[in-house]
Amino acid sequence: MQRAEMKNLMIANWKMNKNAKEAASFVDRLVPLVKNSKNHEIIICPSFTLLSPVAEKIKNTCISLGAQNLFCESYGAYTGEVSPLMIKEAGCKYAIIGHSERRDYMCETDEMINKKLKAALDNNIIPILCIGESLKQRQDDNTKEVLESQLKNALKGINKQTAQKIIIAYEPLWAIGTGKTPTPVQIQETHLFIKEFLAREFGKTNKMPIIYGGSVCPENIREIMMQDAVSGVLVGNASLDPDKFARIVNY
Ligand code: PGA
């Protein structure tokens, strides 16, 4: 499990969208558009049923595969769940963990997210841990407390060395799917706050990347990536269109 360290991470989170045919034509269109983007690690996270066909399509391209979720056990009587071993076998190098939609609609708790994070790491899958505050929490000036508590709980029991493999995705809930984004200064400030937390917990020399997510689009990618604490982006809506996603990757 090796992540190209100096590369920016450009991650497409397709959420519950696309069928097999649409996924295949997306890859066919995207690959030639991004083939020169040597400074980025491009990752597509499709739904579970599309993992294997997308893995087949991206073979010998510059694109990697991620899942949108996983379960914390390897196998057993957990109807409807998908294990880290299964997504690994399907070709995944990465998995999104603790996305706010799962915290919200599927009632995922910090404790479950912590277990999933450890299960991913135990199975050589690079976790993309999502954290973020609601609009109310930001307005009440509670952003830092919320993020710190999400990070503390999710990362409980993970040692310094293992933590190096984790990617943190800062996704303010009020920016997801809304077309609203924090200002570049707010993004930089929040990322620096997360960076300081990680330095305290896992040492100053840790290189854990912090990426931003929430209404990223071709129009705002430049100013977001100009912030030096930002190591990439997690893109929902704008990642469904190969031309838009390519413009983001090639910003
Ligand atoms: P969005 O979603 O780009 O559509 O806001 C981002 C995400 O939920 O990861």
Side-chain angles (χ1 to χ4, degrees):
M1 171 177 55
Q2 271 311 322
R3 196 180 56 78
E5 249 177 34
M6 298 316 287
K7 289 192 176 182
N8 287 318
L9 297 148
M10 312 307 265
I11 309 177
N13 173 14
W14 284 353
K15 310 193 179 185
M16 202 175 70
N17 292 295
K18 292 197 190 295
N19 59 31
K21 201 168 156 227
E22 289 163 345
S25 61
F26 178 100
V27 175
D28 285 339
R29 174 83 188 149
L30 182 72
V31 169
L33 295 175
V34 297
K35 67 175 192 304
N36 295 324
S37 74
K38 306 253 181 307
N39 298 327
H40 305 313
E41 168 97 341
I42 304 165
I43 303 158
I44 298 180
C45 303
S47 55
F48 284 135
T49 54
L50 293 178
L51 289 176
S52 294
V54 171
E56 193 56 39
K57 282 296 286 186
I58 60 176
K59 247 185 208 162
N60 305 318
T61 72
C62 60
I63 299 169
S64 301
L65 191 67
Q68 296 174 17
N69 179 33
L70 49 68
F71 193 57
C72 55
E73 298 293 338
S74 300
Y75 50 83
Y78 303 101
T79 304
E81 293 298 335
V82 180
S83 81
L85 291 173
M86 292 167 180
I87 65 162
K88 183 103 192 152
E89 188 180 37
C92 286
K93 182 173 168 189
Y94 297 88
I96 297 173
I97 295 181
H99 190 281
S100 68
E101 284 150 15
R102 296 204 56 82
R103 292 179 191 253
D104 203 9
Y105 306 138
M106 316 302 161
C107 305
E108 278 196 13
T109 62
D110 280 341
E111 197 189 354
M112 287 161 73
I113 290 162
N114 176 250
K115 284 189 186 158
K116 289 182 175 198
L117 206 65
K118 288 176 177 163
L121 292 164
D122 286 348
N123 287 284
N124 277 333
I125 290 167
I126 301 173
I128 303 158
L129 168 66
C130 299
I131 57 167
E133 82 287 359
S134 69
L135 185 58
K136 168 118 184 36
Q137 289 162 337
R138 180 158 282 263
Q139 284 167 343
D140 291 348
D141 212 13
N142 283 332
T143 301
K144 290 183 177 168
E145 284 81 354
V146 171
L147 297 181
E148 181 151 343
S149 138
Q150 288 176 344
L151 284 167
K152 264 207 172 110
N153 291 324
L155 298 168
K156 203 174 270 173
I158 293 173
N159 67 34
K160 266 188 195 175
Q161 204 192 339
T162 317
Q164 305 306 314
K165 292 163 187 155
I166 302 170
I167 298 162
I168 308 288
Y170 167 57
E171 297 206 299
L173 272 57
W174 51 275
I176 296 178
T178 59
K180 292 187 192 128
T181 46
T183 63
V185 173
Q186 281 174 321
I187 294 176
Q188 172 75 358
E189 267 174 19
T190 313
H191 279 225
L192 286 177
F193 171 76
I194 297 168
K195 227 180 175 54
E196 279 163 25
F197 171 88
L198 297 174
R200 278 199 307 278
E201 294 290 314
F202 302 117
K204 280 203 171 65
T205 55
N206 90 80
K207 294 202 173 66
M208 295 165 72
I210 307 167
I211 64 173
Y212 169 79
S215 296
V216 174
C217 61
E219 290 71 31
N220 62 21
I221 182 70
R222 255 197 111 74
E223 57 179 18
I224 293 171
M225 290 305 296
M226 265 164 57
Q227 308 308 310
D228 61 14
V230 176
S231 301
V233 284
L234 180 53
V235 190
N237 199 36
S239 77
L240 293 173
D241 175 332
D243 293 276
K244 267 194 193 168
F245 188 57
R247 280 169 64 203
I248 291 173
V249 171
N250 300 326
Y251 68 92

